[in-house]
Amino acid sequence: MSRETDEVREAIAGELRLMDPRVRATRSLARELLAPDFVEVGASGRRWTYEEMIAALPELDGAAESGPRYEPSNFTGVLLSPGLVHLTYETTLDGNRAWRSSLWRKRGAAATWQMYYHQATPLPPAAV
């Protein structure tokens, strides 16, 4: 398998972990996946910093084991440079759809992939 495919696959795995209710509800696990300089522009238009996201994540949608879960689809990934992957994909959560874009970075030989930037754009309801 090519290096690009491996890096993109690792970034997608990190993205999927961030959608896992156990990770969302556990700040220490979320900290492993979000870079300290993380920024998000959510589907609501709100700008989130690392500290704001870590504090709020256990209370946000998708964090309850018994609640609605993110349903991702249509992942596309591109290796922009060594250690930098751009992902785009679509999610549905409780009937609400969003197009998402994120940047994942890996620094140093032993470093893990961390999300540096995330943006969500609401999509209209799917045609019936």
Side-chain angles (χ1 to χ4, degrees), residues 18-91:
L18 275 172
M19 288 183 238
D20 183 323
R22 290 168 298 205
V23 172
R24 297 176 75 78
T26 308
R27 288 183 176 101
S28 61
L29 294 176
R31 277 190 176 94
E32 293 173 12
L33 294 167
L34 298 180
D37 52 351
F38 168 82
V39 174
E40 175 174 328
V41 177
S44 66
R46 178 179 173 174
R47 183 182 183 277
W48 297 82
T49 65
Y50 171 83
E51 291 299 332
E52 291 168 335
M53 183 57 71
I54 293 295
L57 198 56
E59 308 302 320
L60 294 177
D61 290 339
E65 283 283 342
S66 60
R69 294 184 181 215
Y70 282 96
E71 299 172 29
S73 61
N74 302 320
F75 272 100
T76 301
V78 176
L79 180 66
L80 298 175
S81 65
L84 182 63
V85 170
H86 178 225
L87 298 179
T88 57
Y89 62 100
E90 186 179 325
T91 59

